[in-house]
Amino acid sequence: MAAPGKVAAFRLPPLPTIGEIIKLFRLKALKQLSQNFLLDLRLTDKIVKQAGELKNAHVCEVGPGPGGITRSILSAGVEQLLLIEKDARFIPGLQILSEAAPGRVRIVHGDILTYKMEKAFPKHLKKSWEDEPPDIHIIGNLPFSVSTPLIIKWLENVSKRDGPFIYGRTQMTLTFQKEVGERLTANPGSNQRSRLSIMAQHLCTVENCFIIPGQAFVPKPEVDVSVVHFTPLVQPKIQQPFELVEKVVQSVFQFRRKYCFRGIETLFPENGRLKRTEQLMMTADVDPTLRPFQLSMSQFRNLCNAYRKMCDEDPSLFVFNYREELRQKKKTRSLLGSTGQPEQTEEENHL
């Protein structure tokens, strides 16, 4: 019995185990959807704990599958739980959980990549971007095939303050392949430093919480899994449009083992490429002989700011596409025949 004046904590009634749900509905992980089930409720509790205080919060769980993490979220005392599941086979098992928590669960059969998150939560939960994060959380054991495109999409939403971030600085607790988790949190000089490192860390505080060994999943994946927590920053470390930052960062990491100026060159058309590359590197005050993974966040900020200034002076620069230039050169070669034409460079072959 609850103490006087206190609301009793929510408890799920006795339910079939996750293993029993899988047997009952004959659920099988589909390799083509890179599905892996997490059956150990101690681990699902640990994932949910990384999200922070969830009592009376509103939560969206992405890809709940048979509902292991779902149970841990409900046990944390959330007010509302939105489940977005693409695979219709899991819906009946999730409905059992919905019936066990009346009025708390809403199930959507749909694809998270296309679902409109702007209307996922009540309007009264909205907070100013400068305030503390709202009582809204996104949690998910993401299929490996969708994790990277999804986090890039959500980082763009963070930059534009739309999608699930229309409510404020919504926090996310998500799983990734261990290697992707290392990239998301890698520091300058680390071999794992990559485009993902810059795109995530310039917009969010990113924490690699803990590693789940592969053998904890059914079926066992070939890799271990990282649990990563994201909290959007009040001010991004690079204050430029998402598309511009992504273009610069992607270009720099085109040739991650070469000097960084080689990637920077791909921002500019062949005519005047060297001169403009030198101009950008000098304006940004970046050593052209550093490798991409050695560059600090402030150096990326300087590169983006300098590139923005050059684009303002020549708007055609931003729409320039290096790969398209290579395609056109290759087409010209094939039309003229290979005789007397220079062979493709190593970089061209790489791209």
Side-chain angles (χ1 to χ4, degrees):
M1 186 173 175
K6 289 190 176 182
V7 179
F10 174 76
R11 286 179 181 272
L12 284 168
L15 290 165
T17 66
I18 300 297
E20 288 168 347
I21 290 283
I22 290 171
K23 285 180 183 176
L24 178 65
F25 295 105
R26 297 179 181 178
L27 300 173
K28 188 178 179 182
L30 297 179
K31 192 172 182 180
Q32 62 267 36
L33 295 179
S34 55
Q35 292 174 338
N36 302 95
F37 304 150
L38 191 54
L39 308 185
D40 187 338
L41 294 184
R42 291 169 301 179
L43 283 172
T44 62
D45 285 347
K46 192 175 178 182
I47 291 171
V48 170
K49 192 175 180 182
Q50 303 306 314
E53 179 56 61
L54 295 185
K55 191 171 177 60
N56 300 323
H58 288 244
V59 175
C60 171
E61 185 188 354
V62 182
I69 293 176
T70 313
R71 296 181 187 217
S72 296
I73 295 171
L74 287 170
S75 296
V78 298
E79 186 169 322
Q80 283 287 320
L81 174 56
L82 169 64
L83 303 175
I84 301 177
E85 178 54 64
K86 184 178 181 180
D87 191 336
R89 297 175 306 141
F90 295 119
I91 302 298
L94 296 174
Q95 284 170 338
I96 290 177
L97 286 175
S98 178
E99 289 162 9
R104 292 176 186 259
V105 180
R106 181 158 60 100
I107 302 169
V108 172
H109 177 214
D111 187 344
I112 189 61
L113 286 168
T114 56
Y115 183 74
K116 302 293 182 188
M117 294 287 283
E118 291 88 344
K119 298 177 181 177
F121 304 104
K123 289 181 181 178
H124 74 266
L125 295 173
K126 281 188 181 182
K127 284 198 175 184
S128 166
W129 196 260
E130 290 72 27
D131 290 344
E132 288 297 304
D135 287 332
I136 294 173
H137 296 261
I138 297 172
I139 300 174
N141 174 28
L142 303 178
F144 295 156
S145 60
V146 79
S147 61
T148 300
L150 184 56
I151 195 57
I152 289 293
K153 171 181 159 62
W154 277 340
L155 289 170
E156 183 171 5
N157 290 146
V158 170
S159 177
K160 296 176 179 178
R161 301 182 186 181
D162 60 12
F165 307 97
I166 201 168
Y167 300 92
R169 295 187 294 121
T170 301
Q171 297 177 80
M172 302 181 286
T173 307
L174 307 167
T175 62
F176 299 88
Q177 289 183 55
K178 182 184 174 186
E179 185 180 340
V180 176
E182 289 171 348
R183 288 178 192 165
L184 285 163
T185 56
N187 293 318
S190 164
N191 283 335
Q192 296 290 2
R193 186 80 160 174
S194 67
R195 172 183 75 125
L196 270 182
S197 317
I198 310 303
M199 299 310 295
Q201 293 171 35
H202 103 267
L203 290 164
C204 298
T205 299
V206 190
E207 181 188 358
N208 201 336
C209 304
F210 67 96
I211 304 298
I212 304 175
Q215 61 259 32
F217 293 86
V218 178
K220 178 184 176 295
E222 295 177 3
V223 294
D224 293 338
V225 171
S226 290
V227 177
V228 184
H229 184 75
F230 301 80
T231 305
L233 296 166
V234 173
Q235 288 289 346
K237 293 178 181 175
I238 304 173
Q239 297 193 34
Q240 295 294 351
F242 183 86
E243 292 84 359
L244 184 142
V245 178
E246 187 173 41
K247 185 176 183 183
V248 171
V249 173
Q250 221 165 14
S251 297
V252 171
F253 280 101
Q254 291 271 24
F255 310 106
R256 59 176 290 111
R257 295 298 171 191
K258 295 183 179 291
Y259 294 146
C260 65
F261 79 83
R262 184 62 198 93
I264 297 282
E265 282 184 323
T266 65
L267 289 168
F268 304 109
E270 191 169 26
N271 186 18
R273 177 170 289 152
L274 183 59
K275 184 180 178 182
R276 281 173 153 170
T277 302
E278 289 174 349
Q279 179 189 341
L280 177 60
M281 302 298 286
M282 287 180 66
T283 305
D285 191 25
V286 172
D287 180 350
T289 63
L290 288 173
R291 312 286 180 184
F293 59 88
Q294 294 176 309
L295 297 181
S296 67
M297 187 64 74
S298 61
Q299 287 171 317
F300 273 104
R301 180 175 60 241
N302 291 348
L303 287 169
C304 290
N305 290 343
Y307 180 64
R308 171 65 184 269
K309 188 177 178 184
M310 294 174 79
C311 288
D312 288 343
E313 293 167 358
D314 181 1
S316 68
L317 271 186
F318 187 68
V319 296
F320 168 70
N321 186 313
Y322 181 69
R323 289 170 185 264
E324 184 57 35
E325 183 184 74
L326 289 185
R327 275 192 287 270
Q328 291 301 325
K329 283 171 72 176
K330 190 174 181 180
K331 191 176 178 182
T332 303
R333 281 196 191 101
S334 64
L335 287 172
L336 295 174
S338 59
T339 308
Q341 295 295 316
E343 291 187 5
Q344 283 184 289
T345 64
E346 180 191 343
E347 287 84 358
E348 288 173 340
N349 285 326
H350 169 76
L351 287 164

